[in-house]
Amino acid sequence: MTAGRLIVWRHGRTEWNLQDKIQGQADIPLDDVGIAQARAAAARLASLAPTRLFSSDLQRAAATAGELASLTGLKVEYDEALREINVDDWAGMTMDELAAIHPEAAARIRSGEPQRRGTAGETVEEVAERFAPALARAIEHGEPSDTVVVATHGLAARVGICLFLGIPKAHWPAFGGLSNCNWVSLLPGRHGWRIEEWNAGSLPEPVMSDDQQR
């Protein structure tokens, strides 16, 4: 048996999001707007009566999950596999700075070609390969009445969900980035999990993210 609904929820805004800085696994906190976003989104998600709550251990995701935990009484279960892409020494650069310093790498990222982030970071494919199994772990041993919420990060969520659903990599760019504190809702169907909602939670918002799929 597996859970009946899976919500993959991006964290609230950080100062680095606002400044268009690449965060990766740098442990940047929510800013005041991000905290307010997390509280508002948590109130909406609490209405779904979630039964389990997972989170990346990076503080921007953990604090977002904490807002839902405070409303529902759920314990937050942390999983490092839910972290954002590791960008190594690119962390803290703006997108424009990256393009100026590493123009070929920036061009490959924009065109969707494989590109390792930083000197010793991850590729998008490697992120998906660690993230998708974390989603599978989150929903296993559930019941059809269960709603599982996973608080995480934009790029990791987008590509990890695509792999989890079995979507070929060539089609991943068709799925847009997630705005701060928006989520993807997935439901089990006859032929596996399917998308109920994508980038849900508000009227359309700018996507301020490490994810170039904007």
Side-chain angles (χ1 to χ4, degrees):
M1 298 285 289
T2 64
R5 177 180 275 118
L6 175 60
I7 303 290
V8 184
W9 182 26
R10 188 184 171 209
H11 62 77
R13 197 185 80 175
T14 71
E15 190 67 24
W16 279 23
N17 285 151
L18 188 60
Q19 295 170 356
D20 202 26
K21 290 184 177 180
I22 301 168
Q23 293 182 121
Q25 296 185 3
D27 204 7
I28 308 304
L30 299 179
D31 64 13
D32 289 344
V33 169
I35 293 168
Q37 288 173 332
R39 287 176 179 164
R44 292 192 288 274
L45 290 176
S47 69
L48 296 177
T51 51
R52 292 189 77 180
L53 176 57
F54 293 84
S55 178
S56 157
D57 61 339
L58 297 178
Q59 63 176 313
R60 59 191 184 271
T64 299
E67 296 295 336
L68 184 57
S70 69
L71 293 178
T72 61
L74 292 172
K75 175 185 175 183
V76 182
E77 302 176 61
Y78 298 102
D79 188 342
E80 291 184 11
L82 297 170
R83 287 183 177 187
E84 184 57 289
I85 188 170
N86 179 1
V87 299
D88 193 41
D89 51 352
W90 290 3
M93 292 186 190
T94 66
M95 298 296 185
D96 287 343
E97 287 169 345
L98 174 64
I101 297 168
H102 303 290
E104 293 181 358
R108 282 193 292 271
I109 290 171
R110 282 193 221 96
S111 67
E113 297 176 59
Q115 172 62 52
R116 189 168 301 282
R117 268 56 167 179
T119 303
E122 292 178 296
T123 66
V124 166
E125 295 78 10
E126 288 168 344
V127 177
E129 287 165 5
R130 67 166 161 82
F131 193 97
L135 293 184
R137 290 193 296 273
I139 59 167
E140 66 183 356
H141 309 309
E143 298 293 334
S145 58
D146 287 342
T147 293
V148 175
V149 177
V150 172
T152 185
H153 308 267
L155 185 150
R158 180 176 65 83
V159 300
I161 290 168
C162 284
L163 184 60
F164 174 75
L165 294 175
I167 296 167
K169 183 177 181 296
H171 299 302
W172 294 1
F175 295 86
L178 302 181
S179 302
N180 287 116
C181 258
N182 279 14
W183 58 82
V184 175
S185 178
L186 303 174
L187 295 174
R190 287 186 218 167
H191 306 292
W193 287 79
R194 61 180 177 84
I195 297 167
E196 179 183 34
E197 294 183 304
W198 187 275
N199 202 27
S202 70
L203 293 172
E205 295 283 350
V207 178
M208 297 177 286
S209 170
D210 293 3
D211 193 350
Q212 286 294 297
Q213 191 64 26
R214 301 188 181 194

